[in-house]
Structure formats: structure tokens, C-alpha cells
Amino acid sequence: MSHRSVAEAENCRLVRVELADRSYDIEIGRDLLPKIGEKFTSLFPGAKAAIITDNTVAGLHLETVEASLSKAGVEYHAIELPAGEKTKSYDGLTFACDAVLDTRLERGDLVIALGGGVIGDLAGFVAGIIRRGMRFVQIPTTLLSQVDSSVGGKTGINSGHGKNLIGLFHQPSLVLADTAVLDTLPRRDFAAGYAEMAKYGLINDPDFFVWLEANWQDVFAGGSAREEAIARSCQAKADVVAADELENGQRALLNLGHTFGHALEGMAEYDAERLVHGEGVAIGMVLAHEFSVRLGLCDPAVTDRVIAHLKDVGLPTGIDEIPGQKPNAELLMDFIAQDKKVSRGNLTFILTRGLGQSYVEKSVDPVAVKDFLTEKLA
Amino acid sequence: MSHRSVAEAENCRLVRVELADRSYDIEIGRDLLPKIGEKFTSLFPGAKAAIITDNTVAGLHLETVEASLSKAGVEYHAIELPAGEKTKSYDGLTFACDAVLDTRLERGDLVIALGGGVIGDLAGFVAGIIRRGMRFVQIPTTLLSQVDSSVGGKTGINSGHGKNLIGLFHQPSLVLADTAVLDTLPRRDFAAGYAEMAKYGLINDPDFFVWLEANWQDVFAGGSAREEAIARSCQAKADVVAADELENGQRALLNLGHTFGHALEGMAEYDAERLVHGEGVAIGMVLAHEFSVRLGLCDPAVTDRVIAHLKDVGLPTGIDEIPGQKPNAELLMDFIAQDKKVSRGNLTFILTRGLGQSYVEKSVDPVAVKDFLTEKLA
Ligand SMILES: NC(=O)c1ccc[n+]([C@@H]2O[C@H](COP(=O)([O-])OP(=O)(O)OC[C@H]3O[C@@H](n4cnc5c(N)ncnc54)[C@H](O)[C@@H]3O)[C@@H](O)[C@H]2O)c1
Ligand SMILES: NC(=O)c1ccc[n+]([C@@H]2O[C@H](COP(=O)([O-])OP(=O)(O)OC[C@H]3O[C@@H](n4cnc5c(N)ncnc54)[C@H](O)[C@@H]3O)[C@@H](O)[C@H]2O)c1
Ligand SMILES: [Zn+2]
Ligand SMILES: [Zn+2]
């Protein structure tokens, strides 16, 4: 139907990440995967590709990508890793580096990350360190990766000491966010990605948060609000990244909910059965609001509103909702101290003064955090 | 004797690497190690340090460094790895990253590389990827690392596919080259470093090569020619690096002898008993000259002169001097093809038109190289 075609065309959106000679486009729209071959031959003529993906995504979407690349005559190799956070490890890194070197690709060829944030972070890191830097393209397939991890060039792996402690900044050459691939995403993962979306509202865009309160069902259902919400999120992230690529200042705002969230993920041993990243962020954002209330910075009604919306979409909002052994404050403080947002003993947290009024607070007293957590866990 | 003290003071030299906000100093002189504590408290007040070193260097020089840091009140942790090229591996990387994370150092703290090129390359890489980039200081303890690997920010490890295939550019904040530590270096390693020194002459400074022909005994003996030769070498490298930090063009000149040399190292399985890096470079430089002669670019008398000087200082100059199984041309070509200086099937080599007249040749026919090697190995 021509009406639908026009709507689809309208729903194809472009966001530009402005970083001087490292600038790149994020394309957002339905059914971009089948067109990837053409896109590559026009943007990267002559380049070969190593597709890094996980076995779940491979089963669902790799054939579409391969068919399109083959049709366009692009030489490619597919490298599959196990799905899950454990792939973002030294072992995953070694395996992926060796696999890319096996393909004999050269510096000007491309690494393609086809998957969620785990694959994007790993593949981006691999691309950053093979031959001291290959080009790479992000094809995020989860909502979280489409609105967050694929944009901005943060790449890396976890160590036993904590999340993302090993890695580097390496910007992609292109991000392709095909919103149709999200139709195969389990609802729980969709909700987890939604937490990062809500985050952009809570950072500095209360209107967007209000818009989400009204439109979230359509975002989940795959209506046109989905592309709108993803594009707005990418634009929000692109703006922050353009202003502060290497996180020396305002980029830290993107960590709203993440210091607590990472600690919870570490405590849950990165076990996706218990907690996925976005769920940790949802609980972490609630904790950040509650901690801000406790410090007298923020009206408790704001926290209630945030909790209500996150609950509506099916996200956890309290530590007690994490199945398994209950953490203690000491263990969480240990993870928090290992988080990279630490400077000379003081903790940096993103706190808030109201709905969508977050700011970077660099001198948070660890004792206050511990007291707060001890009470929450009592 | 006051005459000698004055001479020593004169022999303390400073070379600046100009890289905008990543500029740094190389200090060259006798007995800098005992002064490192003072230097740190003045240059990096409040910073803690993780010293990465190997067990050989630790036995010889770590105590001096530790005593100086302790005296100045600098908090430090020492991390020891086995000596040898095998430490520049995925396993060495994992071990060193975890050990640094164990120390709980923060982003503004320092990683110190105390050792030869192996430790410098590994520690620089570790510093580059922990928390997406820590500061680091190079304290090179071999001649090779003082004149070459500690300057310019190339860091990395080897993979089974070849040397230095995994890594990144990460500039140090300071390089301290204490020429007295070279007194404990075995002659064979000193000679290996000397090959890189001679390289600067052969690239574009025939006067320096002639100077070395006249002064090499004093360089080896630890006379004042040593500081002079090291400073001239560092200046030569600093100039190239300042002009082309990321090796998009002229920096490739520094690879004179290295494409052949790396292939020989791979062929000898990075076994230091058989071949160390600088020896591979010495043979590689001879091969580059011979190949240039074969292509009609260079007078054979130049090659003879180069061979004569390298022989004088005790360096190997032919593949047949490498103990163990003789390589075949196919195997060497395989390693050459995996070298990172490959672009779209053509090989890049540094060739020469005469003494100190090297240039980057990007369109070398692999068949010509293979024929040349087959003949040499016949
Ligand atoms: N680099 C950054 O800036 C940044 C930002 C936020 C999060 N992250 C990282 O992202 C990671 C989390 O990302 P994630 O939530 O995408 O995790 P993920 O990559 O593990 O994906 C979640 C699950 O969904 C599956 N999946 C992916 N696409 C699918 C699809 N279209 N249909 C069905 N299943 C699909 C995956 O196989 C996996 O099992 C964390 O490691 C986090 O640290 C990075
Ligand atoms: N990053 C660069 O730009 C660059 C340039 C050239 C070479 N490299 C790398 O450098 C490495 C070779 O460096 P290297 O020759 O210094 O090797 P190395 O670090 O292995 O040192 C050689 C040996 O000397 C010992 N040693 C070090 N200092 C000593 C001292 N003062 N007294 C006695 N023994 C000492 C070491 O323990 C080791 O056994 C190779 O891995 C090569 O790829 C890197
Ligand atoms: Zn996140
Ligand atoms: Zn070298």
C-alpha cells in the first residue's frame, strides 16, 4: 500500500555524530539489513568485511546480511561467539582477534559488529587494536545498542575486577539501526534497552520523558513512535559525545544510574538470568534519584514518578527484585570503588535536582553512599 | 675529578617529541634511575605508580627505582613478568592488566615500563586500555628501547599470526633513558640495539652512519659517544614521529629492514636463542639493500659498506647465520603478507637509492620479493 510505503520512508531517519575527521552517520529505519550490500559498495568500495556476531543473532539475522553482501559482491567472513555478557572477556577478545587475523583482512577493510552491546563493545575493541586500528561498522540489533552502546565509540571488555575496565575509544565509520530486527528481541531485553532511552529524558530532557510516558506502548509495539524514540535518543547521545568525546566532563552524565547499576551487575556475577545491563541501569537510576532525595537535592515526588513509569514498562526498580543472594553494602561499595569514575578517593555520581535535571557531582563522600546502601538493604 | 663531572653534566641531554597536547620529553643521561622519585613528585604530584618489569631487569635495577620512589614518598606496586618476547602475548597482557587493576590505581596514576622493548610495548598497551587510557612513563633499559621502542607511542603484543599485530598508539608522558643501566646489558643485546641506531643513518642521515663507523667502539664502551649517539637517534625518531604520528606516510621509513626482519623473527618462532629483534633488523636491512641493488636502484658498494660495518660490531648480516632450520621462501612470504604494511595486495617496502637515501615504495610486486628470497636461499 502506497500510504504505508510513504510512512516507512518518513520513518527513515539520519543522525550525524559530529567529531571532526571522525564524524559519522547513524541511519535509523525499518529493513536496512537487506540493503547493506549496496550501502557498503557505495561507501567503502573494495573493502572486505569480517562480521562479528553472536550465535543467537546469527540464527536470526546473519543470513539476511550475508545474502545482501554476496549479492553486492562484497567479500566477507562471519565470526560467531557465544551470546551473553561473558563473551566480553579476555577469552572472547583473544578468540575474536585471532579470528579476524585469520581472515587476512587489511587495515582499510571493515569489522562489522552485528549484535547487541556485547558484540558491539567487543568488536569495536577488536577493530581498535588489530593492526593498531581497523575501520568498523555498527549494526546494533538490540534496543539498548541502537540507542546507546553503538554510538560514541566506547569499546571494551570486562575483567574480574569489574565491567568495561579494559578498552578504548574507537569511533565507528557508520551505524545502521534496523528497527525491524527488534521485532525478534525478547520483551525483557526490549525493556532493558528502554531503560537507557528513559535515561536521556531523565538526564536533561523532561519533555522526552513525558513523551515516553504517553507513547511507550507504541515504541514497544513497533509503531512509528519506535523510530522517533530511537532517533531522539541517538541525537541526545550524539550531542553529548560531540561535546565531550573522551569523557573529560559532561559525557559523564550518560552514566546516570550506571555506577549503582554496574555494581549490581558485578554483584549478580554478570548472570543475565538474574540481571541484564539495562535492568541494572533502571534500578541504578531509581537509586540515584533516591540518593539525591536523601541529600535534599530532589523532590521525592520525582522519584515516585520515575519508579511508576519504569514499573509500567515492566522494569525492576529495586535491588530486592534481583533474584538470588541479596548483596551487602560492603560488596557493592567494593564494586563502586573499582568503577572507573573514581578520582583521588572521592566518588563521582550523577545526581539530580528534579525531573530531567541531572548533573555531575564529583565529590560524593563514600561514607554517605555506604550509609544509604546499608539502609536500603536493611 | 671535576673534569669528568662536567663531562657527565654535559652528557645529560633532552629531546622533545612534539605532538601538540601529547608532547613529551626524553631525558638521556647517566644515573637517572636514582633520581626518579624526585622527578615523579615534581612532575606528577600525588600520582601512584605500577611498575611493570621483567624478572631479569627486576634483579638488576628494580631496587634502585624502588628505593628512590620510597624515599620520595611515592606509593608504588611492582609487577614482574618473565623476560623474553613471549611475554608480549595475550597471556602476558591478561596477566599485566589484572595485576594493574589489582593495585586499584586510578586513571590519573602512572604505569611505569621498566625494561626493554618487550616490557615497554606491553606496558604501554596495558596503560592504553586500562580504564580506556592511563598515563605512562617509559624507563627503557636496553639500547634498542632507548633509541627506538620507547619513543613514538607504538605499543602492542604479538599473536600467533605475527609480530605487533595487536596494539595501539599511546604516547608516554615521559621517557627516562639512563645510559648507565646499559652497562649490565649483554653484548649481544647491545649490538641488537645498535642495529636500530645504524638504521637512522641508513634511512636519511649518511653523516651519522659515517660518524658511527668512526665512533662505535666508544658507544659500546660507555664513553661520551654513547649519550651522543642515543640522543641523535632519539631526535631522528622524534622528528619522524612528530611529522607522522599515526604512520600514514613517512613514519614507515622507520621500518627499514623490518618487513624482512619480522618475517625472520616469525620464522625463528621468536626464539631469542636463535634471533633477537635487532639481529632480524640487521639482516633485514642488508636484504633491503640487496633487494634495492637487484632492482637497479642502488650501487652494490653501498651494500658492501653496510655489511662491513654491521659485521664489525658483531651483528649477523645473512639469513644463513640464523641457527636452526633454514627457512624457505614460501614461509617467509607468508609472514611478509601478514605484516601490517600491506595494502590491497601490493607490498610496501623501504628501499634505498644509496647510503642514507631510503624511501617508501608502496607498489612492490610480491613475485619479485619471492624470486629474490628464493635465490638468496638457494
Ligand atoms: N559502549 C557503550 O557505550 C555501552 C553503553 C551501554 C551498554 N554497553 C554494554 O552493552 C552491553 C549490553 O548490551 P545488550 O543489552 O545489547 O546485550 P547483548 O548484546 O548481550 O544482547 C542481549 C541478548 O539479546 C540477544 N539479541 C541481540 N539481538 C537480538 C535480536 N534482534 N533478536 C533476538 N535476540 C537478540 C543477544 O544474543 C543477547 O542474548 C553490556 O555489556 C554493556 O556494558 C555499552
Ligand atoms: N614500539 C616500538 O616502536 C618498537 C620498536 C622497535 C622494537 N620494538 C619491540 O621491542 C622488542 C625488543 O626490545 P628489546 O630488544 O629491548 O627486548 P627485551 O625487552 O626482551 O630485552 C632483551 C633482554 O634484555 C634483558 N634486559 C633488559 N634490560 C637489561 C639490562 N639493563 N641489563 C641486562 N639485561 C637487560 C631483558 O630481560 C631481555 O631478556 C620487540 O618486541 C620489538 O617488537 C618496538
Ligand atoms: Zn548503559
Ligand atoms: Zn625495530
Side-chain angles (χ1 to χ4, degrees), chain A residues 1 19 26 32 37 49 52 58 72 81 97-98 102 151 186 191 214 218 237 253 256 281 285 308 339 344 352 370 377:
Chain A
M1 283 178 294
L19 289 167
I26 309 167
L32 301 179
I52 300 184
L81 291 112
C97 283
D98 279 342
D102 272 337
V151 178
D218 198 43
K237 177 137 187 193
L253 283 174
L256 174 63
V281 172
M285 291 194 298
D339 208 67
R344 304 283 152 90
T352 187
K370 194 174 173 189
L377 292 163

Side-chain angles (χ1 to χ4, degrees), chain B residues 81-204:
Chain B
L81 291 111
E85 186 74 31
K86 292 207 165 64
T87 284
K88 260 178 68 176
S89 60
Y90 293 118
D91 284 350
L93 181 72
T94 302
F95 178 87
C97 283
D98 278 342
V100 174
L101 289 171
D102 272 336
T103 66
R104 305 206 152 212
L105 259 58
E106 299 174 4
R107 236 171 155 176
D109 291 322
L110 292 165
V111 170
I112 301 179
L114 176 69
V118 164
I119 288 298
D121 282 11
L122 176 72
F125 189 25
V126 166
I129 63 177
I130 289 197
R131 299 169 194 278
R132 295 202 189 85
M134 293 178 67
R135 295 191 291 181
F136 85 113
V137 171
Q138 290 273 17
I139 307 187
T141 63
T142 62
L143 181 56
L144 182 139
S145 54
Q146 293 193 353
V147 300
D148 187 356
S149 60
S150 67
V151 179
K154 272 199 189 180
T155 72
I157 58 171
N158 308 319
S159 99
H161 293 84
K163 292 253 313 168
N164 301 325
L165 287 174
I166 310 290
L168 47 86
F169 287 97
H170 185 52
Q171 300 293 343
S173 300
L174 174 71
V175 181
L176 290 178
D178 183 339
T179 54
V181 304
L182 303 181
D183 294 342
T184 61
L185 196 67
R187 198 189 188 286
R188 183 176 168 203
D189 287 303
F190 197 96
Y194 187 89
E196 304 274 5
M197 223 168 202
K199 186 184 74 176
Y200 297 113
L202 296 176
I203 289 173
N204 62 5

Side-chain angles (χ1 to χ4, degrees), chain A residues 77-322:
Chain A
H77 305 263
I79 297 164
E80 274 183 46
L81 291 112
E85 186 74 31
K86 291 208 166 63
T87 284
K88 259 177 68 175
S89 61
Y90 292 118
D91 284 350
L93 180 72
T94 303
F95 177 87
C97 283
D98 279 342
V100 173
L101 290 170
D102 272 337
T103 65
R104 306 207 150 210
L105 260 57
E106 299 174 5
R107 236 168 154 179
D109 292 322
L110 292 166
V111 170
I112 301 179
L114 177 68
V118 164
I119 288 299
D121 282 11
L122 176 73
F125 189 25
V126 166
I129 62 178
I130 288 196
R131 300 166 194 281
R132 296 201 188 85
M134 294 179 64
R135 294 191 293 180
F136 86 111
V137 171
Q138 291 271 18
I139 308 188
T141 64
T142 62
L143 180 56
L144 182 140
S145 54
Q146 293 194 353
V147 299
D148 187 356
S149 60
S150 66
V151 178
K154 271 198 188 180
T155 72
I157 59 171
N158 308 318
S159 98
H161 293 83
K163 291 254 316 168
N164 302 324
L165 286 174
I166 310 290
L168 48 85
F169 287 97
H170 184 52
Q171 300 293 344
S173 300
L174 175 71
V175 181
L176 290 179
D178 183 338
T179 54
V181 303
L182 303 181
D183 295 341
T184 61
L185 197 65
R187 196 188 191 287
R188 185 178 167 200
D189 288 304
F190 198 95
Y194 187 89
E196 304 275 6
M197 222 168 201
K199 185 184 75 177
Y200 296 114
L202 296 176
I203 290 173
N204 62 5
D205 192 351
D207 291 350
F208 183 45
F209 189 80
V210 172
W211 183 89
L212 284 173
E213 286 177 323
N215 292 281
W216 69 269
Q217 282 101 336
D218 198 43
V219 174
F220 274 70
S224 65
R226 184 182 283 179
E227 283 80 30
E228 163 105 20
I230 293 174
R232 259 175 107 156
S233 299
C234 287
Q235 188 65 59
K237 177 137 187 193
D239 289 346
V240 176
V241 168
D244 176 20
E245 183 181 7
L246 304 181
E247 193 170 334
N248 296 314
Q250 290 306 299
R251 182 163 177 170
L253 283 174
L254 298 173
N255 291 320
L256 174 63
H258 278 63
T259 303
F260 287 121
H262 286 162
L264 295 171
E265 283 183 276
M267 177 277 297
E269 294 169 315
Y270 306 120
D271 178 352
E273 302 283 314
R274 295 177 66 192
L275 193 73
V276 297
H277 176 73
E279 292 170 342
V281 172
I283 302 174
M285 291 194 298
V286 171
L287 290 171
H289 279 75
E290 290 174 337
F291 187 54
S292 301
V293 169
R294 190 188 154 98
L295 295 179
L297 293 164
C298 173
D299 184 337
V302 171
T303 305
D304 294 342
R305 185 166 177 178
V306 171
I307 293 177
H309 181 54
L310 296 178
K311 266 192 204 301
D312 273 350
V313 308
L315 280 163
T317 56
I319 302 180
D320 51 350
E321 292 173 58
I322 305 169

